[in-house]
Amino acid sequence: MNKILKVSLWLIVGIIILGALTVGYVVYTFNSDKYKSIITQAVYAQTGRKLHINGEISVSLFPRLGIKVNAVSLDNPQGFDQKSMLEAKSAQMSLNLISLLRGHYDFGKLVLKDAQIEFITNQNGQENWQFHPNKKRASTQSSFSKGGHLSTIKKAGKNGKNGKVEKIKKAQSTLSDYSGLTVSGIEIDHSKFEWLNEQENKRFSLSDVSVDSSGIGFNHAFPLAVSFRVLNTRPAIAADLKAKADIKINEKDSIYQLHGLTISGNLERSTALLKKPLPFHMLGQGVWNAKKQQLVLDKVNVDLADLHALFSLNASQLFQTPVYRGMVALNDQNISELVSYFRIRHQDGMFKKIDVTMPYEFSSKYLKLPRVDVTIDQSHLKGSLNWADFDRPEYNYNLAVNKL
């Protein structure tokens, strides 16, 4: 019995030593230039864009197969003055080999450091986030070409035409099925996202972006926490924000459900009347449709200083010419503290009671208030307002005031 135990122990030690030597050999003989070429060709085949890796590539094999690339950039397509869509100091990811053998894609944390990503609509209406795979390159550079799904397709010819078609469909189904994909987390630090519409001469910017998430997958909701600084032109907005929500992804339709959405921060600039940072807190539910560029928020509770409001929002064409529609409702609110954040002259005792019911529609060009119903203390304002063009001073209104 002791002899068997000794042999087993020596066998285990030998396996560990052999494994360590294998890992050491692979790492020692790793050719970064070779893998740079493989990675850049794969990205070009899938996106039609050139990926540049100007830094070193490092790998790890235990406990996960991991790769880290430094100083990377992704080119814009032709027709854009800006050379790069993405630049990053480093990017890294890993993959669980044991899960891969079981047919499950289990990625570790995806990490992006000091990245700058710019989403652009140029003067011709072309969008740089639209990718067009290079079909010729993609068809000859599949990582499954040896012993994998493509070899299954080749062998299918023995079963005749119908068998071949069935095998191809099965292979395509396997490749496009994301149900077995999980990512342990996403981490983005000190990054910047910008949206530039050259047709509208508008820029929307998120700086100091940090993202933290875990347990990402397509079959369940997962938590996401984000912090960033917002800078926007037309209208001018500056704010520091923190947001968190549980997200569920419909990958097929590019729809993201936001449960328990919470946004808090300080609004520093939204109008010339604002004289100091305005704290706010928002809680609600939402849906983001990436294909339609549409954000829908329903029954959202908002706190601005001492003001509590309920509103809804339907924002469309967010990356082109955004249009915002919804409803704002306030019931018997005292907003005297809120007024102190603005350059508004008023007498003591005013703004003790506010009631508002007001549907709205606005963009960077116009404002429509089809039904205004506002009570401020003893005064009652009712009617409608239509400002068709912010660049022109004319606007139409039909307002009646009682007990001013």
Side-chain angles (χ1 to χ4, degrees), residues 1-47:
M1 187 69 179
N2 290 335
K3 185 175 181 181
I4 294 176
L5 181 60
K6 288 181 180 180
V7 171
S8 299
L9 288 174
W10 278 111
L11 182 61
I12 293 172
V13 171
I15 292 174
I16 293 174
I17 294 174
L18 180 61
L21 291 174
T22 302
V23 171
Y25 174 78
V26 172
V27 173
Y28 179 76
T29 58
F30 177 74
N31 187 335
S32 63
D33 290 333
K34 176 182 177 181
Y35 282 89
K36 281 183 182 180
S37 177
I38 293 175
I39 294 172
T40 54
Q41 289 178 18
V43 169
Y44 183 71
Q46 296 300 319
T47 67

Side-chain angles (χ1 to χ4, degrees), residues 223-257:
L224 176 69
V226 183
S227 63
F228 51 86
R229 178 171 176 78
V230 178
L231 292 173
N232 187 43
T233 59
R234 300 182 66 187
I237 296 175
D240 287 311
L241 302 177
K242 292 182 179 180
K244 63 179 181 179
D246 289 331
I247 299 179
K248 190 169 184 179
I249 301 175
N250 179 337
E251 189 273 336
K252 179 181 178 181
D253 298 322
S254 298
I255 294 176
Y256 303 79
Q257 298 179 8

